[in-house]
Amino acid sequence: MRSWHGRRAARSRRPLPADLRALAEGQPETLRRLGASLYSYHRRALAPFAPHIRAQVDADRAARARAALEGGTDGLLAGFRPVLRWEPPVLEAHYPVERELRLGGRGLLLQPSFFASRSPVMLASPSPDLTPVLVYPIQHTLGWARPRSATERGSGLGDLLGRTRAAILEDVLTGRTTGELARRFGISGAAVSQHTAVLRRAGLLLSVRHSRHVLHTITPAGLALLGRPLNAPLDV
């Protein structure tokens, strides 16, 4: 792919800036700097949201698969309105330029995109024999990136786990002994042991005996349930 794009850039009629020319020629040091910059951007801007992005795309795929199972090709393509319009045997789309693509029996690969906006994009292919790829925008859930407050997290977990177990899970972020949890929540040590046993069997916390005490700490699965990244600072 790199060499193909390089040839396209090299055939451009306009003179290329030095950095772009270096990319077109495939100079190793320039490609290394580009790769490092892209990796740094991804790590800072995209990686923290990766689970949410993946969930949104997976939800779209599930909806498309259900449409295909229930209505076949017609049902699948009809479900893309208003982004795409299926008028058999023609699939129409709003596109920046007037363009017609005849598949000629090659099929069409529909690729969901979290980042596409409004209009689909037809990817250029280095070979006329390859299956054309149409990238379409998925439907986003409003507020997906808004951080949940501690109150919202606690309320949701309380409904799922029960208020006491949800509160214990939140409280063991930095580690608590059985006695500390009993004092903080005003319950008996036996009750704490019962709650932590349920959370431990679910893989949400880990209990380790330390001297005369049992120390309870949260697991990665517990952090994920709280909606906290593994390396996030603990605000407790």
Side-chain angles (χ1 to χ4, degrees), residues 2-12 24:
R2 184 184 69 213
S3 60
W4 178 68
H5 282 295
R7 290 197 299 272
R8 286 193 66 188
R11 291 198 301 265
S12 176

Side-chain angles (χ1 to χ4, degrees), residues 12-49:
S12 176
R13 296 179 181 178
R14 298 180 180 179
L16 298 175
D19 289 342
L20 184 56
R21 185 168 60 252
L23 284 176
E25 294 172 354
Q27 294 183 10
E29 178 59 25
T30 303
L31 293 174
R32 187 197 65 78
R33 292 202 308 270
L34 175 62
S37 298
L38 290 174
Y39 174 79
S40 178
Y41 175 80
H42 178 272
R43 180 170 56 85
R44 294 174 180 273
L46 299 180
F49 301 104

Side-chain angles (χ1 to χ4, degrees), residues 7 78 111 124 126-127 149 156 186 197 199 201 215-216 228-229 235:
R7 290 197 299 272
Q111 175 64 50
S127 170
S149 67
L199 295 171
R201 287 195 297 269
L215 183 68
H216 308 284
R228 291 174 177 265
D235 52 350

Side-chain angles (χ1 to χ4, degrees), residues 184-197:
R184 289 173 68 83
F185 296 105
I187 57 180
S188 67
V192 169
S193 296
Q194 182 181 10
H195 289 309
T196 55

